[in-house]
Amino acid sequence: MTFSTADTSAPLEGTAEPGDSTVARLLAGWHATARPADLTDHLRRHGPSPVAHVPGSRTTMPLVDAVESAGLTGRGGAGFPTARKLRAVAERRRRAVVVANAMESEPASHKDQFLLAVAPHLVLDGAVLAALAVGADTVHVCLPRTRTAQYRRLSAALDERSHAGVDPVRLHLHALPHAYVSSESTSLVRWLDGGPARPRGTPPRTHERGVARRPTLVNNVETFAHLALIARHGPDWFRRSGVPYEPGTTLVTVSGAVAAPGVQEVALGTPITEVLDRAGGPRQPVRAVLLGGFAGTWLPAEHLRTPLARRDLAPLGAAPGAGVLVALPHSGCGLSETARMLAYLAAQGAGQCGPCSFGLPAVADDFAALVTGRADPGLLPRLLRRTGLLPGRGACRHPDGAARLAASALRVFADDIDDHLRHGVCSAADCRSPLIPVPPALPPETWR
């Protein structure tokens, strides 16, 4: 990375719109000043937060209607329409709760950390506005307890707001266990209610019964930041970027075989090749890109001109997901990278159902056997069968993402599979400096 959230003075690669390298939205303040925005900087740039209505064409518009007109979708990975979530909570007609999800448990993603480091008040504005729109009196901001510096910075931002008296609702900051599945919405609700940070089965949905059995809105922090800008500038402004069927900008983390890895703000619909070019371009010829992170999809080089938008990627079995792009060079081994990610995902299962307890570890073991030259003749049919059985059977979506990753690797690196089956481990798989860092797994007994 060219920077980290601990070093926000470092240069930032990335722009907002195709054809206009000067446009940035979420990161506009950072581009202008190259420093994190305190409350004074934030109010100077954006003005006071609108409370009930949205300016637009000399009229006012309720916030939920404005968000719907803007076409904002969640930026945490699922891409669900934000207005639909807001309405689902508001229509319960009970005192609600809002949860700002800053867990970012996807190991290859750094976008939420960076956004909170440089523009925390934009995120907090959006969460407060959402609370007012759905009838909530409390906002819970959830961070991983391993990121102590991030916690201190955000705590200071909350203190600024408290002293200034800008928020009509209560804001509480929490430090949660940092397991992969602890960022799932029901995990946050379960932990806030005093349980472990593990997914719970549905129904009920969080909008029906969440924190303290109250209707609960859970959104990714980037989603709240976009909402705050829509509230100030209106839906037409938001739609000036992106594509008609998927408007707006999004934050992405680009890494791997690129010259200047880091976080960018790009318009949805930007071709993947252009996103890589904005990260300094490939350092080596790119064989494939991991799109979406550990629960994402490998895309081969021939598909890298595809626009970064759900509708364009869907025919390829892919999606923007958590906004992660990792460029794999021809010198790398996609099977080896996938095996390491699958081992991590298997260790991070909640252990509450068969797919996490047995199916995912079995797939991870098969991949490990493949890349280390221990494959038996029945391994490939068994692996194909197991990856096909995992999706849709778990208590949460954790096995689904792992199966998607495994299936895409089997498809994209089919030639490598044959080579491994014939000759055993390859030289790239023996590399001691893997392309994709895999963190140590947090044991389930610590998820409280």
Side-chain angles (χ1 to χ4, degrees):
M1 293 291 170
T2 57
F3 65 87
S4 71
T5 55
D7 178 20
T8 50
S9 63
L12 173 70
E13 295 292 332
T15 54
E17 293 188 347
D20 186 353
S21 62
T22 66
V23 176
R25 293 180 167 192
L26 301 177
L27 304 181
W30 167 254
H31 279 288
T33 65
R35 71 170 188 266
D38 62 15
L39 185 58
T40 300
D41 295 329
H42 171 75
L43 294 176
R44 184 183 298 118
R45 173 167 292 277
H46 297 289
S49 174
V51 174
H53 294 283
V54 179
S57 303
R58 299 182 182 275
T59 64
T60 59
M61 180 184 294
L63 179 62
V64 180
D65 292 342
V67 172
E68 182 174 52
S69 181
L72 175 65
T73 55
R75 299 298 197 251
F80 195 80
T82 303
R84 198 181 303 174
K85 292 179 73 172
L86 290 164
R87 281 206 174 90
V89 174
E91 288 170 356
R92 305 304 293 182
R93 300 188 180 280
R94 293 175 52 215
R95 181 62 67 187
V97 176
V98 168
V99 177
N101 186 354
M103 294 298 292
E104 197 165 30
S105 293
E106 166 55 55
S109 179
H110 301 277
K111 67 183 184 69
D112 292 347
Q113 297 173 64
F114 188 70
L115 176 63
L116 280 170
V118 302
H121 294 287
L122 200 60
V123 171
L124 297 171
D125 275 358
V128 170
L129 286 165
L132 296 172
V134 302
D137 59 2
T138 304
V139 173
H140 296 287
V141 183
C142 295
L143 299 172
R145 63 176 57 142
T146 52
R147 294 178 187 150
T148 54
Q150 184 184 28
Y151 186 93
R152 287 195 301 271
R153 288 193 299 267
L154 198 54
S155 181
L158 291 178
D159 287 343
E160 283 186 289
R161 299 174 75 90
S162 177
H163 293 151
V166 297
D167 297 320
V169 301
R170 295 186 299 271
L171 288 91
H172 300 291
L173 184 60
H174 304 274
L176 278 67
H178 196 202
Y180 188 83
V181 295
S182 62
S183 62
E184 204 268 352
S185 61
T186 62
S187 296
L188 302 183
V189 168
R190 195 171 179 181
W191 188 89
L192 289 167
D193 278 341
R198 298 185 188 184
R200 71 183 189 193
T202 53
R205 306 285 183 183
T206 55
H207 73 269
E208 298 169 328
R209 192 172 71 198
V211 178
R213 304 176 70 86
R214 290 159 61 180
T216 300
L217 173 73
V218 183
N219 268 330
N220 167 266
V221 291
E222 184 190 337
T223 309
F224 282 128
H226 284 292
L227 186 150
L229 291 177
I230 292 169
R232 285 178 166 88
H233 303 296
D236 292 341
W237 170 87
F238 184 78
R239 284 187 167 273
R240 290 174 194 161
S241 183
V243 286
Y245 51 89
E246 201 157 341
T249 65
T250 190
L251 298 179
V252 295
T253 309
V254 187
S255 62
V258 292
V263 171
Q264 303 179 30
E265 183 173 10
V266 300
L268 285 163
T270 302
I272 293 172
T273 50
E274 185 173 333
V275 178
L276 298 180
D277 287 342
R278 292 181 182 187
R283 289 186 287 104
Q284 303 177 41
V286 174
R287 182 179 182 187
V289 165
L290 176 64
L291 181 63
F294 282 36
T297 308
W298 287 104
L299 284 182
E302 58 264 29
H303 293 314
L304 298 188
R305 295 190 180 278
T306 306
L308 187 68
R310 298 182 72 85
R311 192 176 83 175
D312 298 282
L313 291 165
L316 304 177
V324 168
L325 292 88
V326 184
L328 178 77
H330 276 277
S331 59
C333 177
L335 292 176
S336 176
E337 300 289 347
T338 302
R340 293 169 49 258
M341 287 187 282
L342 287 173
Y344 171 78
L345 293 174
Q348 288 292 275
Q352 300 177 134
C353 60
C356 266
S357 297
F358 306 108
L360 187 46
V363 169
D365 288 345
D366 281 344
F367 252 90
L370 175 62
V371 300
T372 56
R374 297 182 286 108
D376 61 81
L379 182 141
L380 188 56
R382 185 171 67 245
L383 196 48
L384 291 168
R385 183 177 68 255
R386 284 172 170 169
T387 55
L389 288 173
L390 280 178
R393 294 174 179 266
C396 68
R397 296 299 180 90
H398 180 60
D400 299 34
R404 180 167 50 247
L405 173 69
S408 70
L410 294 175
R411 184 171 60 251
V412 173
F413 306 117
D415 292 344
D416 289 354
I417 292 172
D418 183 65
D419 187 60
H420 276 272
L421 290 174
R422 289 175 179 269
H423 307 295
V425 65
C426 70
S427 58
D430 270 337
C431 180
R432 294 185 179 182
S433 300
L435 183 74
I436 304 172
V438 175
L442 184 66
E445 59 268 20
T446 65
W447 296 2
R448 286 189 176 272

